[in-house]
Amino acid sequence: MIIKMEKQLTIKDVIKIANGKLICGNENLPFEKLCKDTRELHPGEIYLGIQGENFNGSTLYEQALEKGAVACILQGVEIRKEVFEKHPNATIVLVENTVKALQQLASYKRSLYNIPIVAITGSVGKTSTKDMIASVLSQKYKVLKTPGNYNNELGLPLTLLQLTDEEMMVLEMGMNSFGEISLLSNLVKPDVAVITNIGTAHIGMLGSRENILKAKLEILEGLKPNGTLVINNDNDLLHKWYEEQNGKQSYHIVTYGMQEESNIMGKNAIYHENGSECEAIVEGKSYKIHIPVGGEHFVLNALCAISVGQTFSIPMEQIAQGIEEFELTKRRMEIKHTKEGALLINDCYNANYDSMKAALDYLGKLPNQRKIAVLGDMLELGEYSKELHEKVGEVVAENKIDMLICVGEEAKNIAQKAIEEGMSKSQITLCQNNEEAIQILKKTLNNEDAVLLKASNGLKFIEICEAIC
């Protein structure tokens, strides 16, 4: 049974829980509507000054008050006397560490709500899986989900603090190194943990896929006793890990997949421009599922959403409806059309080998007369960068892409490997920047083309998308 216990946090809670010191103002002021960026702050919000590697955001407290902040939670600053005179109604609290204070307050808020939390991690597909699971659960419950990719030590507690009258939460957890998922999992104490896959994202920092698996499995550290772990059984490392389990763990494991025998199976998938279809086999029964986004990885996301929906006893008809109504976060396999009428797959939010392969496999299956891949550097791969860019080149050749446009220094390795695998040099163009790619596309696109835009966010491929659409 879901039991909600709403409690309005106040500045007094900040002082008590985070051992803060009230410099001035009203300790009974509600603690809500936090903002950590003065550029985005709105009147009536509370400003949280974050200490970064090179800059202490707490020093911007005057700017925050000028923009209408009703309170400031700060660290490592002295408040000038003139500020008290200029902003007599301001509330200011000093804490030892604003990030730690944020996490402590979020943990306290979590303790006030006896509602289920689904936590999601994985090398690729976290955000889209989160969105799909939230859509399924929303058929029966009022759901609060992670906005965008607020999935780190700051974003996740900020999301928790938004909790009001929701009956369930779906939270995304990202990481760059060991210990980060552990912190987040122990903070939220999920009832259901999901691992979408183990790929190569952040391999430059963790050193191997096996280490990435260990880091992702930290999600189990906060999982409630008798909770449920949902895993992609088609992923090689997760499948191997699952087979090694002795069945004595305190949590339940639910598997989904299209290749390996799993609790939730996907069969006879069909991919087309406007989405995908498959049969979902659940407890021996077959259900037809329509996914409004194309690609095998979104079929796997749907099977994951079915697994979570089943865990909360949502009828399959409602689960199917939730998948049908799922809306993808912008710039993730977003289907658009260029000015020339070409089909554009805008997947330029981020990139690693696994998401590159998934997007290229989808492009390769489309019926369009000509298939064009505009690919840029994948970042944060360290010593594995050359190898993984070359593997993308192999995938380009395997999918018989008609035209390859590469942007960036590392992307040259994609082009070189594609040539080694049989692509003609005449099919490939190397660009120094986005503008060069834009000019080529404007000259060559026609309404029978399908174009994929894919690179790490740092390459700003959104510029290409906006220029040709």
Side-chain angles (χ1 to χ4, degrees):
M1 182 173 63
I2 295 173
I3 302 173
K4 295 183 293 182
M5 184 178 180
E6 293 182 48
K7 181 183 186 299
Q8 178 68 66
L9 300 188
T10 65
I11 293 297
K12 184 183 293 186
D13 292 311
V14 178
I15 297 168
K16 179 180 178 181
I17 295 165
N19 194 28
K21 180 180 179 182
L22 182 67
I23 302 302
C24 62
N26 178 14
E27 66 176 16
N28 294 314
L29 185 75
F31 182 74
E32 58 184 3
K33 296 182 180 177
L34 285 179
C35 180
K36 60 181 178 64
D37 189 335
T38 55
R39 295 167 297 183
E40 300 174 1
L41 190 143
H42 296 95
E45 294 181 335
I46 293 176
Y47 176 63
L48 185 71
I50 300 296
Q51 173 72 60
E53 290 184 11
N54 304 310
F55 182 76
N56 184 5
S58 292
T59 60
L60 300 178
Y61 68 89
E62 288 186 75
Q63 184 177 329
L65 292 172
E66 290 288 349
K67 293 191 72 173
V70 293
C72 295
I73 312 299
L74 312 170
Q75 74 173 73
V77 293
E78 290 188 13
I79 311 301
R80 297 190 308 111
K81 291 182 180 179
E82 297 82 31
V83 173
F84 302 122
E85 298 171 0
K86 193 172 183 180
H87 303 280
N89 296 321
T91 296
I92 298 176
V93 175
L94 291 181
V95 296
E96 183 177 343
N97 185 300
T98 50
V99 174
K100 185 176 180 181
L102 174 68
Q103 294 166 355
Q104 290 171 326
L105 288 160
S107 178
Y108 174 65
K109 180 117 184 207
R110 167 55 173 130
S111 71
L112 301 177
Y113 288 72
N114 183 21
I115 65 171
I117 290 183
V118 179
I120 302 160
T121 193
S123 293
V124 65
K126 294 184 293 294
T127 300
S128 53
T129 305
K130 170 208 69 183
D131 290 337
M132 197 176 288
I133 288 173
S135 183
V136 165
L137 297 178
S138 294
Q139 299 298 309
K140 187 175 180 179
Y141 301 102
K142 185 173 183 181
V143 176
L144 175 65
K145 68 175 182 176
T146 301
N149 67 331
Y150 261 44
N151 61 13
N152 61 11
E153 62 174 0
L154 294 176
L156 186 140
L158 283 170
T159 304
L160 263 173
L161 288 169
Q162 293 177 15
L163 190 58
T164 55
D165 62 343
E166 289 83 8
E167 300 169 305
M168 191 170 288
M169 295 187 74
V170 181
L171 300 175
E172 180 181 334
M173 295 182 177
M175 64 90 194
N176 294 314
S177 59
F178 288 116
E180 295 180 8
I181 296 291
S182 173
L183 184 153
L184 300 178
S185 182
N186 280 297
L187 181 64
V188 306
K189 295 179 171 52
D191 301 83
V192 175
V194 174
I195 305 179
T196 61
N197 46 54
I198 305 299
T200 57
H202 310 301
I203 195 169
M205 300 178 184
L206 288 164
S208 69
R209 289 183 66 225
E210 287 72 19
N211 280 345
I212 294 171
L213 172 65
K214 290 179 184 177
K216 297 298 185 184
L217 286 171
E218 289 176 3
I219 200 169
L220 296 173
E221 295 180 21
L223 184 64
K224 286 187 176 179
N226 297 315
T228 298
L229 172 66
V230 177
I231 62 169
N232 174 2
N233 204 25
D234 284 354
N235 183 265
D236 57 343
L237 289 186
L238 285 172
H239 176 69
K240 180 183 177 184
W241 174 84
Y242 172 63
E243 289 202 320
E244 291 171 351
Q245 301 309 297
N246 57 19
K248 295 181 180 179
Q249 65 275 358
S250 62
Y251 51 88
H252 310 285
I253 300 178
V254 175
T255 59
Y256 65 91
M258 299 174 68
Q259 307 298 328
E260 300 291 346
E261 190 64 32
S262 304
N263 299 117
I264 308 295
M265 289 290 299
K267 298 287 187 182
N268 303 319
I270 301 172
Y271 311 104
H272 46 82
E273 176 183 328
N274 297 316
S276 308
E277 295 174 1
C278 79
E279 289 179 43
I281 312 301
V282 182
E283 296 180 346
K285 294 183 179 180
S286 177
Y287 301 87
K288 189 173 182 179
I289 303 296
H290 177 259
I291 305 109
V293 186
E296 180 178 324
H297 48 311
F298 284 98
V299 173
L300 286 168
N301 289 354
L303 297 175
C304 179
I306 292 170
S307 304
V308 175
Q310 286 276 297
T311 300
F312 291 104
S313 303
I314 296 178
M316 273 303 301
E317 292 76 15
Q318 287 182 276
I319 291 175
Q321 185 68 25
I323 294 171
E324 179 84 38
E325 294 175 359
F326 148 75
E327 292 184 4
L328 193 62
T329 298
K330 296 292 184 184
R331 289 189 279 161
R332 288 173 169 86
M333 295 297 286
E334 181 182 18
I335 301 299
K336 301 170 75 75
H337 286 85
T338 70
K339 294 168 185 175
E340 298 78 14
L343 173 72
L344 176 68
I345 307 161
N346 178 25
D347 198 22
C348 63
Y349 181 79
N350 217 335
N352 52 55
Y353 168 71
D354 308 279
S355 62
M356 279 275 197
K357 182 180 186 305
L360 285 164
D361 288 345
Y362 173 57
L363 177 65
K365 290 183 174 71
L366 290 176
N368 299 67
Q369 188 174 40
R370 187 171 61 158
K371 295 157 189 176
I372 302 171
V374 186
L375 307 180
D377 292 352
M378 301 180 293
L379 305 179
E380 298 182 350
L381 297 178
E383 63 183 286
Y384 297 89
S385 185
K386 184 175 185 292
E387 174 190 344
L388 291 171
H389 281 86
E390 288 177 344
K391 287 182 69 176
V392 171
E394 293 175 1
V395 178
V396 169
E398 287 170 6
N399 281 287
K400 295 181 169 52
I401 302 304
D402 299 291
M403 183 176 179
L404 172 63
I405 300 172
C406 291
V407 182
E409 194 62 31
E410 291 296 325
K412 292 177 182 177
N413 294 308
I414 299 175
Q416 183 58 44
K417 192 64 176 180
I419 292 170
E420 292 176 12
E421 295 295 317
M423 264 188 102
S424 167
K425 289 184 180 179
S426 64
Q427 295 175 276
I428 300 173
T429 304
L430 299 179
C431 297
Q432 295 298 315
N433 51 53
N434 293 343
E435 185 57 35
E436 288 185 20
I438 290 168
Q439 295 308 315
I440 292 168
L441 290 169
K442 285 183 174 180
K443 290 177 183 177
T444 60
L445 286 178
N446 64 62
N447 62 4
E448 295 184 340
D449 293 336
V451 187
L452 168 67
L453 295 182
K454 184 75 175 164
S456 283
N457 199 32
L459 273 79
K460 299 181 180 178
F461 264 27
I462 188 62
E463 295 173 349
I464 301 177
C465 178
E466 291 174 347
I468 64 176
C469 287

